[in-house]
């Protein structure tokens, strides 16, 4: 059995660093799992196992997921969902509970009469162990080339006693009679029918009783490797940590009769919020098939989430065997059919799951993208084919059909890395490293004041107002006319800058020389009584080709005050001059 975690041998002992105190919650009303079910453990093997291939995924959205909806799906919505599932590559799909409602019966008949089922897809239909409901179920699948008929009954003590009013033998007899009826009805169909059995509430049922029921049906249905029986073991209501479910699955896996003729399946629910962990550990323990819903929709707290399970494998380098390459389209269809939203923090499909707001996260992601691009170039492969290793992004959003536009978003928590990334990717503005902190302060003030996120467009507007505008108009110092020339006969390569400056309502002509337009302009400013020292300077093209804008950045000490400026123009000299003028005006405003 599992070993309890205690403190110095006393579960009630508490460390001096832990200030928690007893709550008023009536926890004494509830029993731990070990008082409710015995879990045989003999040499666990699952902890050292590895998942190296995907199990058979079986979506139950059209039955179990549909039962969880306040407004169940009609035939058009069910058909849209079914077509999505087949397009994604699911090969076994639970399509309905034909005896539960006219809508479910009619949808199964729609699949038959419309010829909607692809040749390599097997529909599954669900039935309780009642003769008249079994007959309705078989009437629904008449005409299908292949199908699985899924029989269920609750088997645990509290369900047997409270819900069914039967003992172990009474439930066994009911199951056997239902299974025999299913076999007779299948003989009368032209299509190939396989059988599935679920001892519902398996995880609360005595393990020896589960084996007794399953082995009896394996024999009755004459299971064989080419016509296997599926035994599906649901965690109908989660009662324990996922390792306990794994122990239960491994016990059945190792003790089932005619194991090579049985497909061992699991159906975890999510009452404890550990449905995904239960499914993964169950596969380690021997499960070959997993039932669930695309985004975990199901009665009460939901079924296991197949999208998360499949993409967890994908992130480990294992083929998920279904196509999630357009995750937004999958999500949109499911939300339309279920009329339920997918949570924005869903592990892979959520609107915000690939998004970083924190400054430290943004900096790491931006550096990761740069390193990834460099690594791809070194390998001589496109970035989409290079091995993925970017901080905070377990998978490349592009592999799921996502763009990089929403990976970094800026609010008051964001830092210099995120703002710089968005300016560079959205507007071709690649801020020098030391200028990023300066612009980050501009953004922080704006987002603190607004209390909301700043879009890439708004960030560029802030950059333009803070840095570009002071170099063009509206500052204390303006250029009404200027020219910069270089004497080709001068071996030093000096530039001569001639300009008309307007300052404090006065206009004057000035000139200066330097080793470039920006240095020559600074010299001309000195003649106007403005002492300018260019401390740092950078420039680049704003985009590919020779016809785009140039962007220049200048850090200047102006009459003892240091400030950054920027300029953007189709002319490289003009961009550099505007950058210096911007720094001059920004320094004067401080």
């Amino acid at each position: 059995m599992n070993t309890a975690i205690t403190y110095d041998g006393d579960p009630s002992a508490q460390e001096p660093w832990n200030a928690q105190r007893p709550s008023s919650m009536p926890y004494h009303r509830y029993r731990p799992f070990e008082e409710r079910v015995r879990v045989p453990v003999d040499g666990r093997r699952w902890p050292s196992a590895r998942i190296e291939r995907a199990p058979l995924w079986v979506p139950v959205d059209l039955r179990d997921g549909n039962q969880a909806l306040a407004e169940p799906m009609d035939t058009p919505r069910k058909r849209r969902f079914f077509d999505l599932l087949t397009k994604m590559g699911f090969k076994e799909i639970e399509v309905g509970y034909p005896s539960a409602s006219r809508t479910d019966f009619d949808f199964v008949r729609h699949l038959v009469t419309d010829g909607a089922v692809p040749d390599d897809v097997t529909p599954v239909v669900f039935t309780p162990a009642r003769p008249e409901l079994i007959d309705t179920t078989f009437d629904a699948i008449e005409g299908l080339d292949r199908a699985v008929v899924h029989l269920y009954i609750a088997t645990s003590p509290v369900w047997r006693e409270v819900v069914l009013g039967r003992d172990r033998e009474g439930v066994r007899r009911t199951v056997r009679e239902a299974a025999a009826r299913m076999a007779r009805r299948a003989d009368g169909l032209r299509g190939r029918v396989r059988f599935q059995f679920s001892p519902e509430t398996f995880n609360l049922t005595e393990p020896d009783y589960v084996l007794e029921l399953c082995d009896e049906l394996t024999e009755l249905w004459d299971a064989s490797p080419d016509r296997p029986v599926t035994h599906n073991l649901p965690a109908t209501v989660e009662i324990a940590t996922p390792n306990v479910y794994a122990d239960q699955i491994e016990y059945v896996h190792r003790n089932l009769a005619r194991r090579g003729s049985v497909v061992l399946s699991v159906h975890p629910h999510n009452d404890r919020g550990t449905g995904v962990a239960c499914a993964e550990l169950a596969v380690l323990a021997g499960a070959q098939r997993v039932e669930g819903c695309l985004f975990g929709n199901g009665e009460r707290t939901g079924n296991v989430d197949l999208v998360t399970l499949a993409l967890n494998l994908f992130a480990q380098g294992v083929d998920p065997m279904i196509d999630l390459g357009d995750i937004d389209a999958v999500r949109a269809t499911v939300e339309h059919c279920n009329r339920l939203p997918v949570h924005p923090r869903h592990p892979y499909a959520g609107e915000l799951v690939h998004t970083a707001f924190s400054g430290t996260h943004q900096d790491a992601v931006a550096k990761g993208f740069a390193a990834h691009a460099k690594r791809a170039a070194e390998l001589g492969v496109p970035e989409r084919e290079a091995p993925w290793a970017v901080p905070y992004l377990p998978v490349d959003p592009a592999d799921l059909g996502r763009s990089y536009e929403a990976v970094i978003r800026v609010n008051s928590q964001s830092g210099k890395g995120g703002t710089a990334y968005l300016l560079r990717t959205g507007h071709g503005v690649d801020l020098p490293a030391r200028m990023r902190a300066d612009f980050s302060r501009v953004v922080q003030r704006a987002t603190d004041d607004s209390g909301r996120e700043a879009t890439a467009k708004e960030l560029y507007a802030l950059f333009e107002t803070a840095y570009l505008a002071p170099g063009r108009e509206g500052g204390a110092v303006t250029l009404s006319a200027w020219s910069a020339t270089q004497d080709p006969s001068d071996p030093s390569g000096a530039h001569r800058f001639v300009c008309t400056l307007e300052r404090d309502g006065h206009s004057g002509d000035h000139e200066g020389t330097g080793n470039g337009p920006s240095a020559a302009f600074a010299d001309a400013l000195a003649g106007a009584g403005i002492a300018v020292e260019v401390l740092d300077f950078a420039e680049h093209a704003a985009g590919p080709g020779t016809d785009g804008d140039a962007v220049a950045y200048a850090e200047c000490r102006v009459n003892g005050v240091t400030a950054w400026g920027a300029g953007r123009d189709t002319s490289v000299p003009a961009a550099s001059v505007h950058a210096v003028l911007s720094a001059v005006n920004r320094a004067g405003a401080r």
Side-chain angles (χ1 to χ4, degrees):
M1 294 296 291
N2 294 286
T3 302
I5 298 175
T6 62
Y7 304 93
D8 298 327
D10 179 4
S12 64
Q14 192 156 304
E15 306 88 341
W17 46 261
N18 185 346
Q20 291 181 158
R21 292 292 177 264
S23 75
S24 60
M25 299 290 291
Y27 61 89
H28 60 278
R29 300 182 59 207
Y30 304 97
R31 291 184 295 156
F33 79 90
E34 63 268 21
E35 295 181 9
R36 304 172 70 186
V37 63
R38 184 181 66 86
V39 182
V41 177
D42 180 19
R44 293 183 181 90
R45 299 172 189 169
W46 63 261
S48 59
R50 296 291 180 270
I51 303 178
E52 297 178 342
R53 57 179 292 186
L56 176 66
W57 309 115
V58 181
V60 296
D61 299 83
L62 299 175
R63 192 275 301 175
D64 200 336
N66 191 52
Q67 288 176 268
L69 301 178
E71 183 184 338
M73 288 180 276
D74 55 17
T75 291
R77 280 193 287 154
K78 275 200 166 196
R79 176 60 187 273
R80 181 172 174 178
F81 210 133
F82 179 80
D83 289 344
L84 170 69
L85 295 172
T86 59
K87 182 180 179 181
M88 292 173 68
F90 290 103
K91 300 304 178 185
E92 198 168 300
I93 301 170
E94 192 169 74
V95 296
Y97 190 162
S99 64
S101 70
R102 170 56 60 182
T103 301
D104 264 34
F105 184 92
D106 288 347
F107 176 67
V108 177
R109 293 309 303 158
H110 164 78
L111 294 179
V112 176
T113 58
D114 204 53
V117 181
D119 291 340
D120 60 348
V121 171
T122 300
V124 182
V125 288
F126 190 73
T127 183
R130 291 173 53 184
E132 70 279 12
L133 303 184
I134 291 171
D135 288 343
T136 299
T137 302
F138 275 87
D139 290 345
I141 64 171
E142 176 72 47
L144 283 175
D145 292 331
R146 73 204 65 80
V148 171
V149 179
H150 179 181
L151 172 69
Y152 82 95
I153 193 169
T155 56
S156 63
V158 69
W159 265 261
R160 294 194 308 256
E161 296 162 9
V162 175
V163 180
L164 301 177
R166 300 173 201 171
D167 59 11
R168 283 176 54 147
E169 176 56 28
V171 170
R172 189 199 68 79
R173 188 165 51 250
T174 298
V175 168
R176 183 174 181 84
E177 291 171 357
R181 190 178 194 89
M182 287 168 57
R184 290 193 298 273
R185 285 299 309 259
D187 286 342
L189 297 179
R190 67 171 179 84
R192 187 171 185 265
V193 177
R194 292 192 294 110
F195 303 113
Q196 175 176 335
F197 172 59
S198 285
E200 192 176 1
T201 65
F202 153 79
N203 56 327
L204 277 165
T205 303
E206 307 92 329
D208 65 304
Y209 187 47
V210 170
L211 286 175
E212 177 187 326
L213 294 173
C214 289
D215 288 347
E216 186 168 356
L217 294 192
T218 300
E219 180 179 355
L220 187 152
W221 284 330
D222 193 22
S224 62
D226 63 339
R227 191 169 177 266
V229 164
T230 298
H231 288 312
N232 185 55
L233 308 180
T236 307
V237 179
E238 283 195 301
I239 61 162
T241 50
N243 59 295
V244 175
Y245 188 55
D247 287 340
Q248 294 174 306
I249 297 302
E250 185 172 67
Y251 174 79
V252 175
H253 163 60
R254 289 164 61 176
N255 290 282
L256 275 172
R258 298 166 73 167
R259 182 66 182 86
S261 299
V262 172
V263 177
L264 185 58
S265 175
V266 292
H267 184 116
H269 277 232
N270 200 44
D271 304 83
R272 291 170 52 93
T274 58
V276 166
C278 281
E280 291 182 327
L281 268 57
V283 172
L284 292 175
Q288 302 155 289
R289 177 182 184 271
V290 177
E291 294 187 350
C293 294
L294 286 196
F295 293 107
N297 174 54
E299 285 191 288
R300 303 185 322 278
T301 55
N303 291 323
V304 71
D305 182 338
L306 295 186
V307 170
T308 297
L309 285 171
L311 289 177
N312 281 354
L313 288 186
F314 178 72
Q316 293 292 309
V318 176
D319 185 352
M321 304 297 283
I322 53 173
D323 187 358
L324 290 160
D326 190 352
I327 194 73
D328 287 338
V330 173
R331 186 183 70 185
T333 299
V334 173
E335 288 180 329
H336 168 80
C337 294
N338 283 345
R339 297 182 179 171
L340 290 174
V342 171
H343 196 282
R345 294 293 182 188
H346 180 279
Y348 295 98
E351 181 184 353
L352 299 176
V353 71
H354 300 300
T355 301
F357 288 104
S358 162
T360 54
H361 292 186
Q362 292 174 344
D363 184 59
V365 170
K367 289 176 178 175
F369 277 138
H372 178 73
K374 181 181 178 183
R375 186 164 51 248
E378 291 170 350
L379 294 172
V381 299
E383 291 182 31
R384 284 294 305 275
E385 296 179 16
W388 183 253
V390 173
Y392 295 110
L393 293 175
V395 298
D396 185 348
D399 287 338
L400 306 185
R402 291 280 184 83
S403 71
Y404 294 134
E405 293 177 4
V407 169
I408 290 177
R409 290 163 60 174
V410 171
N411 61 17
S412 60
Q413 302 179 89
S414 305
K416 59 187 180 180
T419 55
Y421 174 84
L422 289 177
L423 283 182
R424 183 176 66 253
T425 56
H427 299 279
V429 174
D430 191 4
L431 299 179
R434 292 200 299 125
M435 187 180 179
R436 294 173 187 175
D438 192 77
F439 182 54
S440 180
R441 288 189 287 272
V442 173
V443 175
Q444 184 104 38
R445 285 194 297 269
T447 51
D448 275 339
D449 289 344
S450 69
R452 62 178 181 82
E453 177 185 349
T455 66
K457 183 178 179 180
E458 289 169 335
L459 287 176
Y460 185 74
L462 286 172
F463 173 76
E464 186 170 36
T465 299
Y467 297 97
L468 298 182
R472 293 195 299 258
E473 70 280 321
V477 180
T478 60
L479 277 171
S480 56
W482 65 273
S483 66
T485 58
Q486 182 181 22
D487 184 354
S489 65
D490 186 342
S492 68
H495 285 69
R496 178 170 177 261
F497 193 92
V498 178
C499 65
T500 300
L501 281 175
E502 295 188 11
R503 183 185 183 196
D504 299 329
H506 301 286
S507 178
D509 295 330
H510 303 274
E511 66 177 81
T513 59
N515 60 3
S518 57
F521 178 38
D523 189 45
L525 287 166
I530 305 172
V532 178
E533 180 185 358
V534 179
L535 304 176
D536 195 3
F537 182 83
E539 61 185 13
H540 63 80
T546 58
D547 299 329
D549 287 353
V551 186
Y553 314 90
E555 184 185 28
C556 301
R557 184 178 292 118
V558 184
N559 294 333
V561 178
T562 300
W564 278 95
R568 183 166 188 163
D569 200 278
T570 55
S571 161
V572 174
S576 63
V577 168
H578 292 316
V580 172
L581 182 59
S582 170
V584 167
N585 282 319
R586 296 187 77 244
R590 295 189 176 186

